[in-house]
Amino acid sequence: MKLTHEIVTLGTKHAFTIARGGGSEYRVVIATITDRDGMTGVGEANPSRFYGESADTVPAVLNQFAPILERADAWSFDAIESEMNKMWRGNGSAKSAVMSALYDLAGKRLGVPLYKLWGLDPAAAPLTSFTIGVAPEEELRRKVQEAAEYPLLKVKLGTLNDEDIIRIIREEAPDKTLRVDANAGWTPKHALDMIALLAEYGVEFVEQPLPPENVEGMRFVRDRSPLPIIGDESCLVSSDIPGLQGVVDGINIKLAKCGGPREALRMVAVARAHDMRVMMGCMIETSVGITTAAHLAPLLDYADLDGAALLAADPYRGATIHGGVFSIPSGPGLGVTKA
Ligand code: MG
């Protein structure tokens, strides 16, 4: 098999800001695997500097993975994944592009959508939330109004204006389910004060109140929190999960962190074995990345897969969202086409 890639620059409808910064331009990498008979599969890498990747590291790493695929059989998922893991630690988004493309190819060969390959019922997928990034008051109000069709909003906090942000959003969306993501922006003491306030506003859960290295702080907060705590930056791969027992109530899986659908399936199993809730999130992504995650959505308690919905223009067509409800393509493989 041949592994090729293309860097794609994405623009968001609005600048998208979280606790540690933001922007309106994102570079992603679309990987294509071509088998000997010309059949192809596509996968997306959504690199994040926070996890040590960029649109410069991903192509370099993919070039090093290419010989592994050159020698491999298209069905040898296990061998390909373990060879990539032996070659490079981390680099989850580059690995995810390869593994996702292999699944796309396999689904096409078998003539089934990925959810069928995984034995899942697309109707079991939970509603997905829509994310409201950090913004000044007028823009916040406009963003909430633009998200009118979504019954679930995920609110980005971890700023100096958190109390104002949540008040404004609650005013604009009095009846919606609100979830909060602090993106590691709080201290333990401040987290408890904020969570008490968020509970009054009827928030459903809080994602990553503290930096991931502060495990004992997270445990301290979780022990005292009236709201469930979900770990995102604290949880990259399945082997992180046992150490988070008692520290979080659930985990947020992202393909870009974990290395692809195969590891995501392991994470679901390990989280369930530890009696944790399972959420899946995303980066700013095209419909290639989002659709890969959407095929796994029937396994989730919470979905936050709005990455393509935030784009000004999506170069691909795949899973769509109406009123928070996913429509997952039933074509073979990912079921994604060029827009
Ligand atoms: Mg998060």
Side-chain angles (χ1 to χ4, degrees):
M1 290 177 286
K2 272 222 165 338
L3 174 63
T4 53
H5 63 261
E6 176 195 0
I7 299 174
V8 178
T9 301
L10 303 175
T12 50
K13 281 179 202 150
H14 306 293
F16 183 73
T17 305
I18 67 166
R20 53 180 169 266
S24 55
E25 216 179 71
Y26 292 80
R27 288 195 303 157
V28 304
V29 182
I30 301 289
T32 303
I33 285 175
T34 309
D35 208 352
R36 289 182 183 86
D37 61 356
M39 272 197 91
T40 61
V42 290
E44 178 167 346
N46 301 100
S48 160
R49 291 207 179 268
F50 188 78
Y51 300 109
E53 291 187 279
S54 71
D56 300 313
T57 67
V58 169
V61 169
L62 290 178
N63 285 337
Q64 296 192 19
F65 289 159
I68 297 174
L69 289 140
E70 197 82 50
R71 312 188 274 276
D73 175 86
W75 298 101
S76 54
F77 289 77
D78 196 53
I80 293 168
E81 190 179 43
S82 59
E83 277 200 64
M84 290 195 298
N85 285 336
K86 261 182 234 152
M87 187 180 277
W88 282 107
R89 292 184 56 194
N91 292 284
S93 85
K95 290 171 184 172
S96 181
V98 172
M99 294 309 296
S100 302
L102 282 173
Y103 275 113
D104 184 32
L105 178 60
K108 284 177 184 164
R109 285 213 186 282
L110 296 170
V112 293
L114 293 189
Y115 65 78
K116 272 200 181 174
L117 197 64
W118 293 324
L120 305 176
D121 173 6
L127 295 176
T128 183
S129 55
F130 186 82
T131 304
I132 306 294
V134 176
E137 176 162 354
E138 285 318 302
E139 198 182 327
L140 271 183
R141 291 189 190 278
R142 201 179 66 232
K143 284 182 173 189
V144 176
Q145 288 156 13
E146 283 176 15
E149 65 156 303
Y150 290 87
L152 306 176
L153 296 181
K154 182 166 123 169
V155 180
K156 291 289 193 179
L157 294 183
T159 74
L160 295 173
N161 312 317
D162 286 352
E163 294 187 24
D164 292 332
I165 293 173
I166 196 71
R167 176 183 50 80
I168 292 163
I169 291 179
R170 191 39 108 199
E171 278 171 20
E172 290 295 326
D175 302 319
K176 291 191 181 190
T177 297
L178 300 182
R179 298 164 175 176
V180 159
D181 187 356
N183 282 113
W186 294 337
T187 61
K189 167 88 178 56
H190 183 58
L192 287 179
D193 292 344
M194 277 306 303
I195 292 169
L197 177 75
L198 297 175
E200 285 177 34
Y201 278 109
V203 164
E204 187 182 22
F205 63 71
V206 174
E207 207 181 311
Q208 200 69 39
L210 311 184
E213 54 279 11
N214 194 354
V215 178
E216 287 317 305
M218 288 274 284
R219 190 190 303 277
F220 172 87
V221 170
R222 191 249 176 182
D223 279 347
R224 291 158 182 80
S225 171
L227 303 181
I229 304 294
I230 307 292
D232 179 359
E233 287 87 339
S234 289
C235 185
L236 277 59
V237 292
S238 55
S239 57
D240 293 329
I241 297 171
L244 291 171
Q245 195 158 36
V247 176
V248 296
D249 299 284
I251 56 154
N252 186 0
I253 300 171
K254 287 178 187 159
L255 294 171
K257 294 188 293 180
C258 76
R262 209 160 181 266
E263 179 62 12
L265 288 164
R266 275 185 213 108
M267 291 182 81
V268 173
V270 175
R272 296 294 183 207
H274 289 83
D275 201 22
M276 288 187 195
R277 302 179 202 186
V278 181
M279 168 175 180
M280 205 161 172
C282 62
M283 306 295 184
I284 301 292
E285 308 188 4
T286 76
S287 277
V288 173
I290 292 298
T291 305
T292 313
H295 280 279
L296 292 164
L299 290 167
L300 309 176
D301 300 306
Y302 312 118
D304 177 34
L305 298 171
D306 62 346
L310 298 164
L311 297 179
D314 185 348
Y316 291 89
R317 245 192 284 274
T320 54
I321 305 167
H322 298 286
V325 179
F326 262 119
S327 169
I328 307 172
S330 57
L334 276 178
V336 163
T337 54
K338 281 227 165 185

